[in-house]
Amino acid sequence: MLPFKVTNSRIYKIGIYLALAPTIVYITLFWIVPIIHIFIISLTLKDTFILGSPVFVGFKNYEEVFSMYTQSIRNSIILPLSAAFLDLLLGYPLAYLLVRKKILFQNVIRASLVFPYFGDLYISYGLWNMFLPGGLFDIFYYIFGITYRQILYTHYAVILGFSIFTLPFMVLYISSNLQEISPTLEEAALTLGATPVKMFFKVILPLTLPGAIAGFLACFGWNLGGYLIPLLLGGLEAGNVITVKIVHLTLQIHNYSVAAALAVILTSMTIFTTYLTFKITKVFK
Amino acid sequence: MPKFKLEKIDMPILAKIIYIILIMFIIISPFVFIFYRAITLRRPTGIEFVGLKFFSEITEDYWRALGNSLMVGFLVSLFDFIIAFPPAYILSKYDFKFKKLLTAILVAPMFTPDVVAGVGLSAVYFRYYNLYGTLHGTVLGLASTSYPMMLLPLLVSIKNLDPTYEEAAKTLGATSFQTIIRVILPLIGPGIFSGFLLTFVWSINNYLLPLFITGPGIDLLAVKLYSDIRWWGLLGRVAAEASILQLATFSVMLLYLKTLGTKYLSGFSF
């Protein structure tokens, strides 16, 4: 590709590593070292590491986590999973429409899909306002004959907030997968006598499966880090997720070690899902 | 055009329209409802329109925080660019050992939950770096989780670049440094712009990481808004504050979409 044959020289290789050096140093100092330190803190007693004289207690904090915070861990798995499933149901038809069909205001719809990326604050605050009496959902409460307490501060409200937050990811992953598939395949299936339903399940679904799975995992991984949505919409019971517990333990109780143990669990969950996402997108390509 | 047509598998038009309206309603309504709350007042007798009354109640330090936030956002974007350009250029042009590992390590911070990064950074800041509560500490910390958003648009734009421009510059006698400054940077301008806006919007809306590393020293808008939401909740003033930050975010994103479209966002799905 290059006009000059420098690819084998040693200077060239040193040059590459030299150019990468500042970035690698920065990442090591501000991402890898903190992540390693979370693991170290999780082995110490309360806030002794922060105060300067760490007392190591082994895996005692993990015992506390697995005896006292099982509900948080369970919530942290169940809520993002159901949100990712809801995203799949909502996002799949939308991605298909955006890629394959001509619809009105296509660009407006694409544009408005970008907003939830940055809108953690607004989604939770807006939904909270809407769910409370006097908000937008009063009509639904009236029609179905329920009170707001049957929706707000339950799992349903958190799942709705989570699914709005990550819907763009699902649509992005599935539509970028659909764009790689030629529409002639669908036409061929139809000319050969498949019904539309059969065509969908035999042709489109198997081909877009990697995108759907990757989108599912990405939604799950992003929602694991959601903080304000479960806090405002979930109340005490449904809002009892790992992130909320970590913030509570660090900023209010100053029990950094248990928080770090929870953070290690959360990090291993996200790293595992990210690894799976990478693996799936690579394998299917 | 084939005769059998794909219209066969079209959902009925009405169902399609209803579906899209429903999705749009679900996505947009929380954002719009905050604006609505900022200009109305609920009373037991009904809803009263109050105009910009709540906006005039916003205190002075909130506007100062807006200035701080914009400055920090700009600095974070600038630092992200400095950190992300060399790897983006090298990853898209050359092959070398550990390339896949390096790519994974470079993109992984985007998927780290802010809480985790916050706990780790605050511990390290307290113990070793002595950066807690300072401006450069805030900028460096925010950049650590946001630079993949700069890296991915840059990767997309450098990969789409025609290599002949670079080769022409080199055959005509330009050094590599001159080539990068004079040829490549102007050509990938839209990618840089897109990365700038994404990281800017990301960092002015981030409340969780500054909560851990900024401390009381510097007021940031998102952090202030977060604590106001937690303390004052449904007060009209809080809705007005939220809608100001929202308006800033929306205008930047609209500028982005108007000039660049959604092309560079495709990098986010690898």
Side-chain angles (χ1 to χ4, degrees), chain A residues 18 31 36 52 112 134 152 165 167 174 191 197 220 223 225 248 285:
Chain A
L18 265 182
W31 189 67
I36 292 171
S112 58
L152 188 62
F165 183 39
L167 189 63
I174 293 176
T191 30
V197 178
F220 177 73
N223 277 332
H248 178 70
K285 267 173 191 170

Side-chain angles (χ1 to χ4, degrees), chain B residues 123-139:
Chain B
V124 177
Y125 276 15
F126 268 125
R127 213 35 222 287
Y128 305 116
Y129 302 165
N130 208 8
L131 288 171
Y132 178 79
T134 57
L135 181 66
H136 43 283
T138 309
V139 171

Side-chain angles (χ1 to χ4, degrees), chain A residues 15-92:
Chain A
I16 282 182
Y17 290 117
L18 265 182
L20 285 176
T23 315
I24 292 173
V25 168
Y26 171 71
I27 290 157
T28 313
L29 284 180
F30 285 85
W31 189 67
I32 297 175
V33 169
I35 296 281
I36 292 171
H37 272 84
I38 288 174
F39 185 68
I40 296 173
I41 295 168
S42 74
L43 301 176
T44 61
L45 186 72
K46 296 205 167 171
D47 54 356
T48 48
F49 183 88
I50 302 279
L51 296 180
S53 51
V55 180
F56 286 94
V57 291
F59 288 91
K60 210 170 128 265
N61 294 316
Y62 290 92
E63 280 169 26
E64 192 179 336
V65 162
F66 284 116
S67 62
M68 282 176 68
Y69 296 97
T70 39
Q71 186 61 37
S72 321
I73 296 170
R74 203 179 301 142
N75 272 346
S76 265
I77 294 169
I78 289 172
L79 293 175
L81 268 185
S82 2
F85 196 70
L86 189 62
D87 274 336
L88 197 61
L89 292 181
L90 290 175
Y92 203 105

Side-chain angles (χ1 to χ4, degrees), chain B residues 60-70 219-222 224:
Chain B
E60 188 129 302
D61 48 343
Y62 193 78
W63 298 109
R64 211 178 304 125
L66 180 65
N68 277 344
S69 257
L70 297 180
D219 272 348
L220 290 179
L221 197 63
K224 216 163 163 48

